[in-house]
Amino acid sequence: MRGRRRFRTAVAAATAALLCGGVLSGCTAGDPEAAAPSARPTVRPTPSPTPPWDVSPASVAAVGDSVTRAFDACSVLTDCPEVSWATGTDTAVNSLALRLLGPEKVATRSWNLARTGARMAELPEQMAGAAAEKPELVTVMMGANDACRATPDLMTPVADFRASFETALARLRAGAPKAQVYVASVPDLKHLWSTGRVSPMGLQVWKLGICGAMLADAEDLGPAAERRRAAVRDRVVAYNEVLEEVCAKDARCRYDGGAVFGFRFDGGQLSPWDWFHPSKDGQARLAELAYRRITKE
């Protein structure tokens, strides 16, 4: 009898060990409480909160191309940064910096690092310069020159455009990790063509070679010319999609939602010297669009 009891006890112990190891993982033989499932909740990491957007930054650095330099806004073939939409001091334009900082601080707390003729490949260098100033806000308006080439086949590939923009934001973050970024969309170049082509002055100036991919043979409405203009517009749309997508990955970046692309510049808002760049009034409209987006709660 005593031998049978030892046998049954051994079998029971082996069975319990088998169940604990193969079926009820985590239990301990001989411990009834250990066999019960854990009542402790699963702990998940808390996501980092999105940093709040400051609607009144105390310093502004502007990067970009001829639009931010206000090229052809005051006189022919000349930059006129005092009427720039981003950092200008002209009260008639009422630039973004003038609205945010006030006239007494614009000269010392804003920097215009844009360059006429710049393309997206130059933006990383400009961003590094902006980061060195430790601004609270950086404005970006870049991309028109990537589409405004002599012919459509010379336009910057979308993949290269994306890579340069991503690198530019990384450069900024390396030197100014908390700077906010406002990204303006690329203007609708086809709309500028449709507005300026009614001007005899515009048609004559465009023959000198400005933005040939879009503006060459401006009076030609044939199928080939229309396909060429459509290809340029499609590339601008693709650039804007890149700006939106890359900006969305940065918690401190705001895209304008296509506001500049959608703005319908009229004759009075285009330079009287080239019928392509914004006039003083056009610069004022860009400043208003930026201010609305940046100060939106």
Side-chain angles (χ1 to χ4, degrees):
M1 292 295 292
R2 188 173 301 170
R4 290 181 181 178
R5 283 198 214 98
R6 289 198 201 100
F7 177 77
R8 284 197 296 268
T9 300
V11 170
T15 302
L18 180 62
L19 288 174
C20 286
V23 179
L24 302 177
S25 177
C27 64
T28 302
D31 185 354
E33 292 184 2
S38 174
R40 290 178 295 178
T42 302
V43 178
R44 294 182 175 86
T46 303
S48 300
T50 301
W53 179 269
D54 183 1
V55 298
S56 55
S59 55
V60 179
V63 296
D65 54 29
S66 57
V67 176
T68 300
R69 294 297 298 174
F71 181 80
D72 268 2
C74 300
S75 57
V76 64
L77 300 178
T78 305
D79 288 350
C80 190
E82 60 266 31
V83 302
S84 167
W85 67 273
T87 60
T89 55
D90 191 316
T91 55
V93 172
N94 199 13
S95 73
L96 176 66
L98 202 56
R99 296 170 192 236
L100 292 173
L101 310 178
E104 68 283 352
K105 294 182 179 179
V106 171
T108 58
R109 301 301 297 159
S110 67
W111 307 270
N112 192 322
L113 305 174
R115 186 185 69 82
T116 294
R119 298 198 292 270
M120 184 57 79
E122 186 180 312
L123 191 62
E125 180 182 353
Q126 289 189 17
M127 278 292 212
E133 303 294 347
K134 297 297 188 289
E136 293 189 12
L137 174 69
V138 178
T139 67
V140 180
M141 185 177 288
M142 185 77 90
N145 290 323
D146 291 89
C148 271
R149 306 304 303 279
T151 59
D153 60 298
L154 294 176
M155 294 187 295
T156 302
V158 176
D160 293 351
F161 188 89
R162 180 185 295 273
S164 294
F165 186 44
E166 290 175 337
T167 300
L169 281 180
R171 291 277 183 88
L172 176 67
R173 290 291 164 242
K178 294 184 179 180
Q180 296 181 159
V181 183
Y182 163 76
V183 179
S185 50
V186 181
D188 186 349
L189 302 179
K190 190 173 184 183
H191 173 72
L192 297 180
W193 163 78
S194 66
T195 300
R197 74 186 186 88
V198 301
S199 165
M201 174 68 77
L203 292 175
Q204 290 303 313
V205 172
W206 291 354
K207 289 178 181 179
L208 299 177
I210 183 173
C211 196
M214 176 60 74
L215 304 181
D217 303 317
E219 295 179 282
D220 185 356
L221 302 179
E226 287 295 289
R227 285 194 297 272
R228 168 170 55 83
R229 296 183 193 112
V232 176
R233 189 178 192 276
D234 289 346
R235 183 62 58 89
V236 168
V237 170
Y239 289 162
N240 284 334
E241 289 174 350
V242 168
L243 296 176
E244 182 176 19
E245 291 168 3
V246 175
C247 183
K249 297 176 182 178
D250 188 311
R252 298 181 186 272
C253 185
R254 278 190 179 184
Y255 176 63
D256 76 352
V260 173
F261 177 82
F263 185 74
R264 304 291 91 179
F265 288 91
D266 61 31
Q269 291 155 352
L270 296 177
S271 166
W273 292 283
D274 65 22
W275 282 80
F276 183 75
H277 290 90
S279 64
K280 288 184 181 180
D281 186 49
Q283 291 284 340
R285 303 287 76 75
L286 292 174
E288 175 65 24
L289 292 174
Y291 183 74
R292 288 178 186 174
R293 183 72 177 110
I294 290 165
T295 59
K296 184 178 180 180
E297 296 285 357

